Amino acid sequence: AQTVTQSQPEMSVQEAETVTLSCTYDTSENNYYLFWYKQPPSRQMILVIRQEAYKQQNATENRFSVNFQKAAKSFSLKISDSQLGDTAMYFCAFRDSGGGADGLTFGKGTHLIIQP
Amino acid sequence: DTEVTQTPKHLVMGMTNKKSLKCEQHMGHRAMYWYKQKAKKPPELMFVYSYEKLSINESVPSRFSPECPNSSLLNLHLHALQPEDSALYLCASSQDRWGGYEQYFGPGTRLTVT
């Protein structure tokens, strides 16, 4: 079974700063997918960024980028120029390519607070 | 339209009641999911439907009964729940069960069992 570990329960940074959220995972699969989801307070969960394990290039979406280290099984999220609206729970999630669990395996989450 | 809708938003029910949660998507997705999320915890997978057939049941108690009437609708029937079943119930959908397709989540139904 896969496990996903987020070692930072809570982080707080000032607006406009850059922040990095860490995520490590454990799997015996070679092909899989990794995601960062954002869940703002009392609002629905949305996808921030997605990475395919067979792609070496790190995914980027505007101010959000990942540092994917497959050998180290690490998948960190960097948020540049942080904004107040980035305040949310951030979940790292894993999904294998098929044959196993089809839902997402989530980490415990990191509560990110952006201070004005 | 990338929206997953869920009704009701809030539900309070007694332990002897029977109620249902509803989820709908019109994105043509063929996989739909139910998750349970306790406060300050990640979502936990309950059920997966693929092409309207129950694909995975993560050993969920029988007091939760899923139903997929068609490819756009997903229901969760609730009966004889316990107070510890109080949680946010999230529905999600993805283009297909296989592969790394993004899952789109609904806003959830906040359930309180009294």
Side-chain angles (χ1 to χ4, degrees):
Chain A
Q2 295 85 8
T3 59
V4 177
T5 302
Q6 293 179 250
S7 59
Q8 304 148 313
E10 186 169 292
M11 297 184 71
S12 179
V13 299
Q14 297 293 123
E15 195 175 5
E17 289 184 348
T18 294
V19 59
T20 299
L21 309 183
S22 66
C23 172
T24 58
Y25 57 93
D26 188 23
T27 183
S28 58
E29 300 287 330
N30 188 51
N31 195 20
Y32 47 87
Y33 304 87
L34 295 162
F35 306 85
W36 278 99
Y37 277 87
K38 168 186 177 181
Q39 189 174 34
S42 301
R43 294 179 63 186
Q44 68 196 81
M45 191 170 309
I46 58 172
L47 180 69
V48 175
I49 203 163
R50 172 181 176 274
Q51 176 80 42
E52 299 168 19
Y54 59 85
K55 286 189 176 179
Q56 292 186 337
Q57 187 172 5
N58 289 324
T60 299
E61 286 288 343
N62 300 315
R63 297 183 295 108
F64 299 87
S65 61
V66 297
N67 183 4
F68 173 50
Q69 302 287 332
K70 190 173 183 179
K73 296 181 181 176
S74 172
F75 182 60
S76 61
L77 174 69
K78 185 173 84 170
I79 305 174
S80 303
D81 186 27
S82 57
Q83 301 174 359
L84 297 178
D86 295 332
T87 293
M89 281 293 291
Y90 286 81
F91 292 102
C92 179
F94 174 102
R95 178 170 174 152
D96 68 25
S97 62
D102 296 293
L104 294 165
T105 301
F106 288 93
K108 291 188 175 182
T110 296
H111 184 205
L112 177 63
I113 301 168
I114 309 299
Q115 305 275 8
Chain B
D1 181 8
T2 58
E3 190 178 21
V4 175
T5 59
Q6 289 187 245
T7 54
K9 289 185 179 180
H10 301 275
L11 178 62
V12 179
M13 59 185 291
M15 290 190 286
T16 58
N17 291 157
K18 286 185 181 180
K19 297 286 185 182
S20 296
L21 310 185
K22 180 180 173 182
C23 172
E24 195 165 2
Q25 57 88 14
H26 294 287
M27 295 178 277
H29 289 175
R30 305 317 301 260
M32 297 185 76
Y33 311 80
W34 280 115
Y35 288 87
K36 174 183 178 181
Q37 186 179 25
K38 301 284 265 185
K40 300 188 186 301
K41 299 288 186 184
E44 297 175 355
L45 181 65
M46 299 175 73
F47 301 105
V48 178
Y49 271 86
S50 177
Y51 291 82
E52 302 161 49
K53 287 187 177 7
L54 183 61
S55 179
I56 293 177
N57 174 346
E58 295 282 316
S59 301
V60 177
S62 59
R63 57 186 183 268
F64 295 92
S65 176
E67 179 195 19
C68 190
N70 59 56
S71 60
S72 300
L73 278 175
L74 189 64
N75 298 320
L76 186 62
H77 303 297
L78 314 172
H79 173 56
L81 294 192
Q82 304 296 310
E84 60 264 29
D85 296 322
S86 298
L88 182 68
Y89 288 84
L90 296 169
C91 175
S93 71
S94 64
Q95 186 171 333
D96 204 308
R97 169 187 170 187
W98 304 103
Y101 293 107
E102 172 187 357
Q103 290 190 17
Y104 292 82
F105 285 83
T109 293
R110 189 161 299 280
L111 174 67
T112 302
V113 181
T114 60

